Amino acid sequence: MTIIAVRSSKGGVGRTSVTALLAAALARRGVEVAVMDLDRQDALRLMCGEAAGRPAALEASRLELAATRSGFARVAQDAATCALLMGGGPHAARFAPNVLARWLGAQEVLIVDMPAVEDAAAAAVSALAGLHLRLFLPDVASLAVLQEPSQDEAFSRSVFLLNQADRRRPLTDGALGFLRHVAGARFGGEIRRDEAVPEAFASLLPLHEHAPASAAWEDVQALAAQLEVRLAAAARFETAHFASAEGARRA
Amino acid sequence: MTTLERLRFGGRTAVALCAAAVFCWLLAAPLGVVAQGVFGALIVAAGLLVARARSRYATILICTLTLFASTRYMVWRFTSSMGLRSPGEWLLGGALLAAECYTWVVMVLSFVQSARPLRRPVALLSMATECMPTVDVYVPTYNEPLGVVGPSVIAAMAMDYPADRFRVFLLDDGDRPEFAAFARRVGCGYLARADNTHAKAGNLNAAMKVTDGDLICVLDCDHVATRAFLQLTVGWFEKDPRLAVVQTPHFFYSQDPIQRNIKAAEDLPGEGDLFYDTIQSGNDLWNAAFFCGSCAVIRRAALEEVGGFAYETVTEDAHTALRIQRQGWNTAFLNIRLSAGLATETLGQHVAQRARWCRGMTQILRIDNPLFGPGLKLAQRLCYLNALLYYQFPLARVIFLLSPLAYLVFGLNLMNAPAGQVLVYAAPHLLQGMIANQRLQGRQRRLFWGEIYETILAFHLVRPAILSLIWPKAGKFKVTDKGLRLETGYFDRDLVRPHLITAGLLGLGVAFGYSRLLWPGVFHQSVSTLLLSTAWTVFNLLILLSAVAVAREGRQVRGHVRRQARMPVTLYFADGRVVDAVTSNVSTGGLAVTLPQGFDAEGREVTDVDLQVAGGRTAFPVQGVALRDGELRVKFIDVDDARERRLIQALMARADLWQAEPDRRIGGGWVRAVTSLLEISSSTLRFIGRSAWRHARRRLRPAGALAAALAVLAVLPCGGRAQAATAAAEHVFAFDALRAPAGRKPVGLRCGGVSSARLDLAGDQVVLAARLELSGAGSAVGAVVIVNGQPAGTLEGAGRIDVEPAAFLPGANRIAVVVPRADDCRALSLAPADLRLVLTTVPLAPPGAGAGLHPTDAAKLAPAPERRAAVQGAKRGGVDVRGLVEALLRQPLALAVLALGACAILAWPLTRELDRQAQVRLSGLAELRA
């Protein structure tokens, strides 16, 4: 019963891809995962292979169709338990606390693709998230956000990740050093830039099927392993918060 | 000390003294052949049993047992096997004995040295950064190319040590402008001098004059240091203020010529591993680890006290250490591979390098013998002595190789003893020696490889060893070339010519020895001695052929030396794909990478590889060279200074890079050692056979066929003869064919005269029956035959008389015929030719002497005391205590139990003493306490 909020304060950092990859990696580790897209680009369903036209997968998810009426749809992906929650927008704010609570009753982990600019739904999720996976690119514009990180109330629950790292560019080393310095123990590592990732999305195949040797997939797997350890701590936080949110709603 | 403690100490001392007395007494206890055979077998069996235990006590016990077996052999050699009969035998037998003595001394010294290697831990500096000792790192070079020297300098500069506390100096004795430019570019110190007197030692001494660091670290120009080198070595200097030297192993990441050339020896440890893992660690126990020229840190104060590096000999390193230790300084050996270098490239260079070491060590032995002179403790003297004496092996090795020829070709007995006796004394000595070797060095050296290494060098080192022994002052420093490469494979004929000649001689010698069996009347060939010599020769041949195998230089095509290494890398392809992979081998020129499962590199172009460098990762541009079986070979391109530096750090400077696997075992033990020996030598035989065949086909076809046919003809009857000869054989000696003791023919028999003759019996032949035959019309009534001073029979006319066979001894026998001055002297009509001595002999078959002997005959062979005891016992009705004890002590089982007990008791205090010494050493305060 944990929410991982994948976020960045700048667009194009790769939130949606990381959400999809991480969900797949966690699912392959035996974790029951659901994903939710709060981003307006609505690309997550594509990246989770929803458009691949897998009737079998859709069939398997029919049990959950009740959610569709509320503006959410769920598609099992890759025969694993990765689920895709779509929609969001204005509905989400209303549904967030109780829908999430219901969802999380069934799922161990919900990964939420957060919008760059936080709306009401995002704010609701943000308050409940046990882990904030913050993505950065090895460039100045992306890292500039880190200037005053302590102002962020969720900082203590954050994990900092450098996406699209590329050792051939000298900036990557610098960016990693900077991020490691700022994040300390909350440094989550890197995901290397690998052309195999966009190729896999384009061909509507999971990355590990399209390019099993991909360095990016290695990194995502390492990240999943690391997050599994961190999730235990996050779960304790959320149990407390769900209880208080439930109390506030009743009141 | 309380009374109880004193009593206990006294008791222990008494027990140890008793054990020592028993030990010494048993060394010389005489035993018959069978008894000694059983005794030796028990000792060896005990050795094998003890070798199964892993404790330190077991190690010491094995050494004690070996000491016992070998010393017993040496005592026997001196007391019972030296009755040689001709100047030739004395000369060659003396040489063999000297060689054996040498081997024994070196063995005993090596027990002292390496029975308990000290495992010295790392000591880290505890002081603040600004108080750490300053270090000057010297990288001396003379004629090595920049490609070899550059990486060493760069790696030395990248060591983890406060940047303001160490400096790297390139000491260029070649005075080359491009080296000066290189030093400027990378920012290290550059020192050159006007002349290059005293070679490397002079170079280092000159640098000492213009630098001022507290410590001096010497790194040979081809030794690439890892980052941790200084961090891990300097600490001991703080812990022990009287410490002068910390030496670390020389590790070679390229294969040495022996490893490279012997295909069957894939898991063969490097030749140097033994020296560093066992010998230097053993030296360290006794505070006698010595400086080896490189990869060491030395305290400047100690060096200055002895006037810098010693330059009187060509091995300045060991001599410098010896001098420093004479001043009371300590040394340490840290068995962690903190640097890696290039092994010598070709066998020729290897031999040249060893010739230099041999000369240098012999020089030190002569001009600064560690046995004499001030300042050393006994154990230190012995350790240094062993290091120096080791290099006297060439002559001894050549003697061992050639000795069997003395009997095979010239019929000279180098040991005057029956073959069976030689076997039962020598076998425990040799086998127990092997057990001890396996125990002490088994991890670093496979069985027999010590012999092979020595044999490779022996012929070439005899000259320098002897010359330096006589003229220690002559000789120049010779630089060992490194970093060259062989363009083509070739067979270094010059280098192995002596080996091939010796092998040929040994082969011919065996053939000749057997062919002599065809003429038993001409040669008194003893079959058992022949067999023993053959066994010895075959062993020598195996060793020689294995040594020859080394000379078949393999082709080395890489300019950069590759080494096996599994390092994680990331590959970048032109189409944007990125994959992680693991290297299979690496060099500073390129990598071979095992591609991950499920990745198809076909059609993709690799552009970059990233490697772990100093905690981070750095990408290097590469070009694909080949793709085969999932392995991608790439070479580094666009390597500039900065990239080269990073590359060296990535590939050579990782602190954990060279560590040996913690529990490396050489697989297979005895069986593997023997099969690999056979494998290697047979491959050489095939190779020689093929070359000879090619040669022969071109030139000597008819002659070769003829020779082969002759050889077959010569060998065929030998086999049959050799088999038949193991049974009892009858020998006929015509009296007139025997020589008189003075060398003349025996004169005719006269009335009242004595005619004596000498009869030589082979040492391993036992006379079962003997008779004198008178032929023709001769009659010699009343003539008495005397064998070795004992009357053996009286002649009564023509016919035959039996002579007491026990009167004949192995070796020379004196036979006399005394004709009494009697009235009927006229009756004597006897020419010496009429008198024949017919002996029936059996060979003394090893080890169950007397196989084929009748029990009564065997009883005659028993040594006199045993018979006496038995006789006495019988006379007194079996209650003779003295006789019983004496008889019991002749029992090999009882003696073996006694010997084992004595060794087991003696090993206790030795183990305790060694452990105590280790403790003292590791506390780092050995000298302070004294």
Side-chain angles (χ1 to χ4, degrees), chain B residues 133-412:
Chain B
T134 53
V135 185
D136 292 326
V137 182
Y138 294 163
V139 183
T141 164
Y142 173 57
N143 61 1
E144 299 82 359
L146 193 53
V148 170
V149 182
S152 311
V153 172
I154 290 169
M157 294 178 67
M159 289 193 285
D160 290 336
Y161 201 71
D164 59 331
R165 309 301 289 173
F166 87 108
R167 286 200 67 186
V168 178
F169 294 94
L170 181 55
L171 314 185
D172 182 19
D173 244 9
D175 201 9
R176 289 159 289 184
E178 71 269 24
F179 274 58
F182 167 80
R184 262 197 307 282
R185 213 165 56 230
V186 300
C188 73
Y190 177 83
L191 300 172
R193 50 185 185 144
D195 56 350
N196 36 31
T197 44
H198 299 146
K200 185 175 167 187
N203 196 0
L204 296 171
N205 284 336
M208 272 179 72
K209 291 200 183 79
V210 292
T211 57
D212 60 353
D214 303 326
L215 301 175
I216 290 167
C217 168
V218 183
L219 285 171
D220 265 358
C221 64
D222 58 333
H223 279 134
V224 182
T226 61
R227 297 167 58 192
F229 189 95
L230 287 181
Q231 239 183 2
L232 298 186
T233 47
V234 170
W236 277 104
F237 287 95
E238 181 198 17
K239 216 169 172 188
D240 179 0
R242 287 297 289 171
L243 184 66
V245 178
V246 172
Q247 176 70 47
T248 67
H250 293 188
F251 171 72
F252 300 107
Y253 61 87
S254 62
Q255 290 187 312
D256 61 39
I258 294 152
Q259 285 173 312
R260 198 176 58 239
N261 294 346
I262 293 185
K263 302 286 179 292
E266 261 157 26
D267 54 348
L268 190 71
E271 194 224 6
D273 292 2
L274 172 67
F275 175 70
Y276 289 106
D277 282 356
T278 303
I279 297 179
Q280 279 282 55
S281 297
N283 280 336
D284 197 15
L285 179 75
W286 301 110
N287 191 11
F290 55 87
F291 173 46
C292 299
S294 172
C295 312
V297 185
I298 310 176
R299 197 187 289 271
R300 174 184 285 269
L303 269 176
E304 277 170 353
E305 209 170 293
V306 297
F309 293 90
Y311 49 77
E312 290 85 348
T313 63
V314 292
T315 45
E316 78 293 339
D317 38 19
H319 196 194
T320 306
L322 178 61
R323 283 189 169 175
I324 287 178
Q325 295 225 274
R326 280 190 191 282
Q327 301 298 320
W329 291 92
N330 299 331
T331 59
F333 174 71
L334 190 64
N335 193 10
I336 303 175
R337 295 167 176 176
L338 292 174
S339 60
L342 287 168
T344 44
E345 186 80 5
T346 65
L347 190 61
Q349 291 164 6
H350 175 82
V351 171
Q353 184 194 47
R354 295 311 150 97
R356 175 164 73 78
W357 294 0
C358 170
R359 207 166 55 198
M361 293 308 218
T362 313
Q363 284 178 319
I364 300 175
L365 193 64
R366 275 297 312 278
I367 64 178
D368 198 0
N369 194 311
L371 272 188
F372 314 109
L376 296 177
K377 296 205 167 125
L378 180 64
Q380 287 177 314
R381 292 182 196 275
L382 294 182
C383 286
Y384 272 97
L385 184 68
N386 193 23
L388 304 184
L389 272 187
Y390 168 73
Y391 275 100
Q392 301 308 307
F393 73 82
L395 194 55
R397 179 57 50 197
V398 170
I399 290 174
F400 288 136
L401 285 175
L402 292 175
S403 281
L405 282 178
Y407 184 77
L408 290 173
V409 177
F410 305 108
L412 298 175

Side-chain angles (χ1 to χ4, degrees), chain B residues 840-906:
Chain B
T840 310
T841 62
V842 288
L844 197 60
L853 276 185
H854 192 270
T856 52
D857 299 322
K860 287 174 196 150
L861 295 173
E866 207 165 328
R867 257 189 287 176
R868 195 175 62 229
V871 170
Q872 279 175 355
K875 271 182 188 163
R876 296 185 194 178
V879 283
D880 172 27
V881 178
R882 189 194 152 98
L884 268 181
V885 169
E886 221 174 272
L888 188 69
L889 289 184
R890 301 289 155 198
Q891 291 297 316
L893 187 66
L895 286 195
V897 168
L898 264 184
L900 293 175
C903 290
I905 292 172
L906 282 179

